[in-house]
Amino acid sequence: MAEQSTEKIPTVVADQVDIVYRVHGTGAGRGSATAALNRILRPGRAEKAAGVRRVHAVKKVSFVAYKGEAIGLIGTNGSGKSTLLKAVAGLLPVESGKIYTDGQPSLLGVNAALMNDLTGERNVHLGGLAMGMSREQIRERYQDIVDFSGINEKGDFITLPMRTYSSGMAARLRFSIAAAKDHDVLLIDEALATGDRKFQVRSEERIRELRGQAGTVFLVSHNNNSIRDTCERVLWLERGELRMDGPTEEVLKAYETFTKS
């Protein structure tokens, strides 16, 4: 009988990743043709003249994520967690370094745009298509999505426009749409911080299922209990730098000591 392979298969590789934001000021002459040409020919000098401020959001971050892992991203506000997640999803360019992914990463964030004038029902269909599901798959999973979200527990909200939803209801529906599909790499930004404990438990169970199907899950959260319940590994970012990468309890203990000092 052949031995089962225990080889770890990488899904995301970040190699010395730098991410820089440019915040534009009010430098003179920015609208002129000469200024535009200078920005092309002498980008560094033109940025300085135009009052462009560079914010180094992520600094030389390296890690490897593997199939079946759930990885928490923690850090104080402004530490670069959401920025790094967007870069892994391909939504932000890196200044230097490389990010390699196996499969298509899917980013789920509580601030992702919803079509407020459309009903929840219509958004389920559009969101499912955006996540790569076929119309048939959406029809098959529609009721499970609605039930999972709990949108209709206190009325027929799924038939109402999204603008009538609370931010928590909208976030729960968004997570439910994303959770209906199996993902190679699922990136979750604070989604579990919304809703009651019952919804959080359902969400954590679904993340464990995704891991069991050989997916990789990244979870950004300020709720350390959600990280403990969901992730076996944690990346701690502070001021854009990877301060620690290791087992959940070990990293959280160091982080909690840091935040209390």
Side-chain angles (χ1 to χ4, degrees):
M1 183 176 176
E3 290 185 13
Q4 186 174 356
S5 173
T6 58
E7 181 186 2
K8 297 170 74 175
I9 302 173
T11 53
V12 178
V13 177
D15 182 18
Q16 294 289 295
V17 171
D18 278 295
I19 302 171
V20 176
Y21 287 111
R22 287 166 176 80
V23 182
H24 291 272
T26 55
R30 283 182 60 205
S32 70
T34 302
L37 183 60
N38 278 334
R39 285 198 294 273
I40 295 171
L41 299 179
R42 303 182 183 89
R45 190 181 304 174
E47 281 183 1
K48 188 174 181 180
V52 175
R53 186 164 62 93
R54 290 163 56 91
V55 178
H56 205 159
V58 173
K59 306 171 184 175
K60 301 298 180 189
V61 168
S62 297
F63 65 85
V64 180
Y66 299 93
K67 282 191 176 182
E69 280 192 318
I71 301 171
L73 267 69
I74 62 171
T76 53
N77 288 335
S79 59
K81 305 181 299 294
S82 297
T83 297
L84 180 60
L85 220 60
K86 289 175 184 174
V88 172
L91 301 177
L92 275 180
V94 300
E95 185 79 3
S96 63
K98 296 287 185 181
I99 296 177
Y100 306 93
T101 61
D102 179 20
Q104 177 59 50
S106 302
L107 175 62
L108 171 66
V110 294
N111 294 321
L114 290 172
M115 303 194 73
N116 284 331
D117 289 332
L118 298 182
T119 65
E121 180 179 16
R122 186 65 180 147
N123 270 290
V124 169
H125 285 85
L126 291 178
L129 291 172
M131 297 297 293
M133 288 188 278
S134 67
R135 295 181 186 277
E136 183 179 354
Q137 287 174 324
I138 296 168
R139 283 193 295 270
E140 290 172 353
R141 302 175 193 185
Y142 172 80
Q143 196 57 51
D144 288 338
I145 292 171
V146 176
D147 292 345
F148 188 99
S149 71
I151 292 294
N152 276 1
E153 288 178 357
K154 296 182 180 179
D156 193 20
F157 282 97
I158 198 68
T159 61
L160 297 178
M162 293 290 295
R163 64 173 179 271
T164 65
Y165 291 14
S166 68
S167 58
M169 290 170 65
R172 294 202 310 273
L173 185 60
R174 187 165 29 245
F175 180 88
S176 302
I177 295 167
K181 180 179 182 290
D182 295 337
H183 299 269
D184 298 316
V185 178
L186 179 61
L187 312 163
I188 305 171
D189 194 352
E190 288 291 1
L192 301 189
T194 61
D196 56 21
R197 183 57 190 159
K198 184 168 68 172
F199 180 76
Q200 290 176 26
V201 169
R202 286 203 300 268
S203 302
E204 290 161 5
E205 288 174 351
R206 178 56 182 146
I207 287 175
R208 282 190 282 272
E209 289 175 6
L210 287 168
R211 288 175 55 198
Q213 292 154 4
T216 304
V217 178
F218 287 85
L219 171 63
V220 168
S221 181
H222 288 101
N223 185 335
N224 288 353
N225 287 331
S226 287
I227 297 286
R228 281 189 169 93
D229 291 342
T230 310
C231 306
E232 81 279 359
R233 176 184 171 191
V234 170
L235 306 179
W236 172 14
L237 289 177
E238 205 60 52
R239 296 186 177 182
E241 297 178 347
L242 183 58
R243 187 155 181 162
M244 199 170 177
D245 174 3
T248 296
E249 201 54 48
E250 183 180 318
V251 178
L252 283 180
K253 184 177 179 181
Y255 176 66
E256 288 165 353
T257 300
F258 171 81
T259 55
K260 289 174 184 175
S261 60

